[in-house]
């Protein structure tokens, strides 16, 4: 009898444990559904995020606190993103995988390299130039970046300067004391890659001009500069960008402005680009849209991504670009994809997206409470246009669909718009 009572007690204990486990599982399930519900049918996402980095997620090397809150909302209980996210930056002085690792450490979320678009990433599409001998301008790992984009034969500014030391004359300390013998064994340059702002602007401006005016053979020179000149692919048109300083810093767009002005002044003709990449070019948003689609496919989300939400801090690049791409998508839906010049689309897979909604945050370049802000307060006087020369100025394209304080508010706004639970 005692043995039966012991067995009975053991059975009761097991039954109680089973009941407790079922109750705990039910409670965890309810908590999980409360925190990460996507709607009553747990439907896959039909929207995605295009997130700027500087001024939205970070300022310099410091993460913006609201970004951490935003990614807590964007991740599920397994630490995976609940919706497709691509990081679109106009920076280009680092390697793609290095930027992904940096974001992973800052945000506490695993970011893959193919979720990051640097300003020059769409140059992968310009395969007709990948075998040409290209002069590359920028800083950081420019050779590795160019090779990663598919360019197999690149020449750096330093290599060109060493081959033709008489070209670089601004810095008196770098001038040669004797005249070297002329070289005739240096293969001609066939094009120019402008990946980002260089360190010595005077050297890069001089050598690029020498290459263009000599049709790629700066050691010889030509009596009449060729026109059209050698092909130029450029990325990052930002005139200004925001770091830790109180005022915006010069971006690569300022360097391009210098080069365009010098070329116009010297030749009387307009500098031309075969490709302009980085926000606000439609090409960059088209490339981002394709990465969003691939990301959704990898996660097994079968529903097409119909709507993109672009979050940025710069009206001239982020907002202008998102609104321009929205116009392109609307026109493509009606009439088919139009051709839009150097910054326009190149052949990729047909678009499933139908809209691109712009969201402006106040943690970077745009700051409506600062009277010295470089960008206008909405509804104020018309500001100077900081966009690139080849972009038609349209004030309406600089007006965001939504203005919020920070990226966390942006994520909450989107979740409300899409009927998703944010908490």
């Amino acid at each position: 009898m005692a043995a039966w009572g012991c067995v009975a007690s053991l059975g009761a204990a097991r039954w109680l444990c089973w009941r407790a486990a079922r109750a705990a599982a039910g409670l965890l399930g309810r908590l999980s559904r409360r925190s990460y519900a996507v709607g009553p049918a747990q439907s896959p996402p039909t929207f995605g995020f295009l997130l700027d980095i500087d001024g939205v997620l970070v300022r310099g090397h410091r993460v913006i606190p609201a970004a951490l809150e935003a990614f807590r909302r964007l991740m599920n209980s397994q630490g995976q993103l609940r919706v497709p996210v691509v990081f679109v930056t106009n920076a280009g002085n680092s390697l793609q995988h290095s930027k992904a690792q940096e974001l992973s450490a800052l945000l506490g979320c695993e970011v893959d390299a193919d979720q990051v678009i640097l300003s020059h990433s769409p140059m992968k599409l310009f395969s007709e130039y990948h075998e040409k001998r290209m002069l590359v301008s920028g800083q950081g790992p420019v050779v590795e970046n160019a090779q990663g984009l598919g360019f197999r034969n690149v020449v750096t500014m330093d290599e060109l300067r060493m081959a033709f030391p008489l070209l670089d004359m601004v810095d008196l300390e770098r001038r040669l004391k004797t005249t070297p013998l002329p070289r005739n064994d240096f293969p001609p340059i066939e094009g120019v890659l402008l990946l980002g702002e260089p360190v010595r602007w005077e050297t890069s401006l001089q050598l690029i001009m020498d290459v263009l005016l000599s049709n790629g053979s700066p050691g010889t020179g030509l009596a009449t500069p060729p026109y059209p000149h050698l092909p130029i692919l450029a990325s990052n048109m930002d005139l200004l960008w925001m770091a830790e300083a109180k005022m915006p810093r010069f971006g690569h767009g300022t360097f391009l402005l210098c080069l365009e002005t010098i070329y116009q002044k010297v030749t009387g003709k307009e500098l031309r680009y075969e490709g302009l990449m980085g926000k606000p070019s439609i090409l960059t948003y088209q490339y981002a849209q394709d990465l969003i689609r691939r990301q959704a496919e990898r996660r097994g989300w079968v529903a097409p991504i119909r709507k993109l939400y672009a979050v940025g801090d710069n009206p001239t690049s982020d907002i202008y670009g998102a609104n321009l791409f929205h116009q392109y998508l609307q026109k493509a839906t009606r009439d088919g994809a139009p051709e839009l010049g150097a910054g326009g689309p190149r052949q990729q897979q047909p678009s499933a997206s139908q809209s691109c909604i712009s969201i402006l945050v106040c943690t970077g370049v745009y700051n409506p409470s600062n009277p010295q802000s470089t960008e206008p307060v909405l509804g104020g006087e018309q500001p100077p246009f900081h966009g690139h020369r080849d972009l038609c100025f349209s004030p309406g394209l600089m007006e965001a669909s939504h203005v919020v304080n920070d990226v966390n508010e942006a994520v909450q706004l989107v979740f409300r718009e899409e009927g998703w639970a944010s908490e």
Side-chain angles (χ1 to χ4, degrees):
M1 192 70 171
W4 172 254
C6 183
V7 171
S9 298
L10 182 59
R14 286 175 175 167
W15 182 80
L16 288 172
C17 289
W18 178 79
R19 284 293 302 272
R22 285 291 300 272
L27 177 60
L28 287 173
R30 289 193 296 274
L31 288 173
S32 176
R33 287 191 294 273
R34 185 180 305 162
S35 299
Y36 301 107
V38 182
Q42 295 288 305
S43 57
T46 58
F47 64 97
F49 283 95
L50 308 181
L51 299 180
D52 183 30
I53 297 177
D54 293 301
V56 174
L57 305 177
V58 300
R59 286 282 294 269
H61 296 290
R62 294 182 299 180
V63 67
I64 296 172
L68 299 177
E69 290 296 322
F71 272 83
R72 277 193 276 271
R73 297 180 189 279
L74 286 169
M75 291 189 294
N76 62 20
S77 56
Q78 288 78 45
Q80 296 177 314
L81 287 169
R82 303 165 60 195
V83 299
V85 174
V86 165
F87 303 88
V88 188
T89 177
N90 269 355
N93 296 327
S94 64
L95 296 171
Q96 195 173 5
H97 68 83
S98 298
K99 180 61 72 173
Q101 291 172 353
E102 177 187 342
L103 288 171
S104 298
L106 289 171
L107 300 174
C109 168
E110 184 176 352
V111 177
D112 295 329
D114 55 8
Q115 287 179 270
V116 176
I117 297 180
L118 303 175
S119 61
H120 45 66
S121 294
M123 286 187 186
K124 293 176 181 177
L125 303 176
F126 289 79
S127 57
E128 65 267 38
Y129 300 106
H130 288 174
E131 300 296 335
K132 293 186 179 296
R133 185 170 167 84
M134 305 292 283
L135 176 67
V136 58
S137 169
Q139 59 180 291
V142 290
V143 173
E144 293 90 335
N145 269 325
Q147 291 173 343
L149 296 169
F151 298 93
R152 298 173 180 86
N153 190 2
V154 295
V155 179
T156 67
M157 288 293 167
D158 281 340
E159 288 171 339
L160 184 62
R161 185 179 67 85
M162 295 302 291
F164 301 100
L166 296 181
L167 301 181
D168 187 19
M169 301 294 287
V170 173
D171 189 341
L172 297 179
E173 294 185 0
R174 296 213 300 184
R175 286 188 187 179
L176 294 181
K177 303 298 188 258
T178 59
T179 302
L181 295 174
R183 288 188 59 171
N184 55 11
D185 60 344
F186 194 83
I189 302 294
E190 299 176 287
V192 180
L193 296 178
L194 305 177
L195 300 187
E197 59 270 21
V199 174
R200 286 179 170 264
W201 286 30
E202 77 285 356
T203 297
S204 293
L205 289 169
Q206 179 69 75
L207 268 59
I208 292 169
M209 283 295 298
D210 289 334
V211 165
L212 296 178
L213 297 178
S214 67
N215 203 32
S217 300
T220 58
L222 293 176
T224 303
Y227 197 82
H229 52 67
L230 293 174
I232 301 176
L233 301 177
S235 62
N236 185 358
M237 295 170 273
D238 282 353
L239 188 77
L240 304 168
W241 68 288
M242 201 70 187
E244 288 137 319
K246 299 297 183 183
M247 297 176 65
R249 305 292 87 197
F250 289 156
H252 192 223
T254 307
F255 179 83
L256 296 180
L257 177 61
C258 293
L259 180 61
E260 293 155 9
T261 304
I262 294 169
Y263 188 86
Q264 176 78 42
K265 194 71 172 177
V266 170
T267 67
K269 297 181 174 65
E270 186 175 82
L271 189 78
R272 296 170 55 178
Y273 299 95
E274 295 302 316
L276 276 170
M277 279 136 279
K279 297 172 291 186
S281 78
I282 286 179
L283 177 59
T284 290
Y285 287 86
Q286 185 190 37
Y287 191 80
Q289 170 194 250
D290 194 52
L291 294 190
I292 286 279
R293 176 187 60 79
R294 295 182 191 181
Q295 190 179 145
E297 289 176 354
R298 286 197 304 271
R299 292 291 302 274
W301 293 324
V302 295
I305 303 300
R306 298 294 188 190
K307 189 179 292 187
L308 301 173
Y309 290 93
V311 184
D313 70 305
N314 190 330
T316 304
S317 58
D318 300 315
I319 303 308
Y320 190 106
N323 290 337
L324 189 65
F325 188 55
H326 178 75
Q327 281 189 357
Y328 166 77
L329 290 174
Q330 297 289 295
K331 183 171 178 58
T333 301
R334 293 192 312 267
D335 312 322
E339 289 295 329
L340 294 174
R346 295 173 75 80
Q347 189 63 40
Q348 294 193 96
Q349 250 185 255
S351 169
S353 301
Q354 298 173 343
S355 63
C356 184
I357 309 303
S358 58
I359 304 178
L360 180 63
V361 299
C362 304
T363 49
V365 169
Y366 180 78
N367 184 359
S369 65
N370 181 2
Q372 295 182 342
S373 175
T374 60
E375 301 295 339
V377 176
L378 297 184
E381 295 183 4
Q382 182 170 303
F385 181 50
H386 289 168
H388 188 263
R389 175 204 69 188
D390 290 358
L391 299 174
C392 296
F393 177 48
S394 177
L397 291 178
M398 295 174 63
E399 296 182 9
S401 301
H402 306 278
V403 181
V404 296
N405 286 321
D406 52 49
V407 66
N408 186 37
E409 289 190 10
V411 170
Q412 293 181 72
L413 168 70
V414 171
F415 280 3
R416 286 195 303 270
E417 292 278 320
E418 297 295 328
W420 278 42
S422 62
E423 293 184 343

